[in-house]
Amino acid sequence: MDEAVTSRVRRPRAATQERREEIVRAAARTFGSKGYRTGSLADVAEQVGITHAGVLHHFGSKEQLLVAVLQQRDDDGVRDLEGQHIPGGLELFRHLVRTVRANEGRRGLVQGYTVLVGESVTEGHPARPWVTQRFAVLRGQVADAVQEIGPHVPRAAAVRAADAVIGVMDGLQTQWLLDDSAVELADATAFAIEAILAATLAGADAPRPVGDVED
């Protein structure tokens, strides 16, 4: 295939990808400033210079567009890190707290994420696979970081700690969205992560005020 033909073949794909990225950036601005519920696809389309139907042509639904925005947010969060991926060990937990602090300035995206996760528990929701996979990957990364800090920690305990970290982060975000004057999001997140790590690393020596949970 000569160069002219190759150029003609590749250009539409490049243009499509560029347009998709433009739509994602516009959606991030819209959801970030107006919130996920209030920000409309028409708002996004107007910024890009296309129609509402044009946005749906690229992403299919508002939920799928939000997934793309959230994935881009995650990618941007590690772009300046070594290897462009989430760090390990203690630095992973510092990274999580830094991310939460950054989220305090992008309330609309946090709102969109929280709504998406809540709705994705229903069967057949278009974002369910993405949310499920995101939790699975993050659970593994956090458990690995726990064991890097404490090599003696059994895998089951590390995974339990990861579940607790993820749960408390999302729970605090929900409380913060409902009343940001009552929750210091980054500070509360750091406190919870430190408490979970301390209990996990202490193992059998950790205080057990709740005691054993019986079936």
Side-chain angles (χ1 to χ4, degrees):
M1 183 178 293
D2 63 38
E3 184 175 347
V5 173
T6 302
S7 177
R8 287 197 301 272
V9 170
R10 290 178 178 172
R11 190 174 295 118
R13 290 185 180 179
T16 298
Q17 182 60 30
E18 183 178 344
R19 176 50 57 88
R20 284 175 61 88
E21 292 173 356
E22 190 178 2
I23 293 170
V24 169
R25 290 194 296 270
R29 290 191 295 269
T30 298
F31 298 155
S33 61
K34 296 186 176 182
Y36 174 65
R37 290 297 189 190
T38 306
S40 68
L41 293 184
D43 295 327
V44 175
E46 183 178 359
Q47 293 182 57
V48 183
I50 60 177
T51 64
H52 176 282
V55 174
L56 290 177
H57 169 73
H58 287 281
F59 289 96
S61 69
K62 189 177 182 182
E63 289 87 355
Q64 292 294 348
L65 177 56
L66 177 60
V67 166
V69 171
L70 293 172
Q71 184 61 58
Q72 185 62 53
R73 183 198 65 172
D74 286 350
D75 293 344
D76 289 344
V78 298
R79 194 175 305 282
D80 296 330
L81 300 178
E82 184 177 354
Q84 295 189 347
H85 58 74
I86 193 168
L90 189 57
E91 189 57 31
L92 176 142
F93 299 102
R94 292 170 177 157
H95 170 74
L96 292 179
V97 175
R98 286 194 296 268
T99 300
V100 169
R101 195 173 296 282
N103 284 346
E104 292 177 330
R106 46 195 184 194
R107 184 184 184 89
L109 290 184
V110 176
Q111 180 193 62
Y113 167 82
T114 303
V115 170
L116 188 74
V117 170
E119 292 180 345
S120 70
V121 301
T122 58
E123 293 291 340
H125 191 280
R128 185 179 179 116
W130 181 84
V131 174
T132 301
Q133 177 65 13
R134 185 178 189 276
F135 279 150
V137 171
L138 184 56
R139 182 181 297 112
Q141 291 171 329
V142 174
D144 288 345
V146 170
Q147 291 190 296
E148 187 172 335
I149 298 169
H152 63 284
V153 176
R155 187 63 182 181
V159 171
R160 186 166 59 244
D163 289 337
V165 167
I166 296 169
V168 79
M169 289 181 67
D170 280 8
L172 285 170
Q173 283 190 156
T174 300
Q175 293 181 59
W176 175 76
L177 287 170
L178 292 170
D179 185 358
D180 58 13
S181 66
V183 179
E184 295 180 347
L185 186 56
D187 291 343
T189 300
F191 176 84
I193 289 176
E194 288 169 351
I196 293 167
L197 286 177
T200 304
L201 295 174
D205 296 328
R208 301 287 300 276
V210 177
D212 292 328
V213 180
E214 298 181 0
D215 293 335

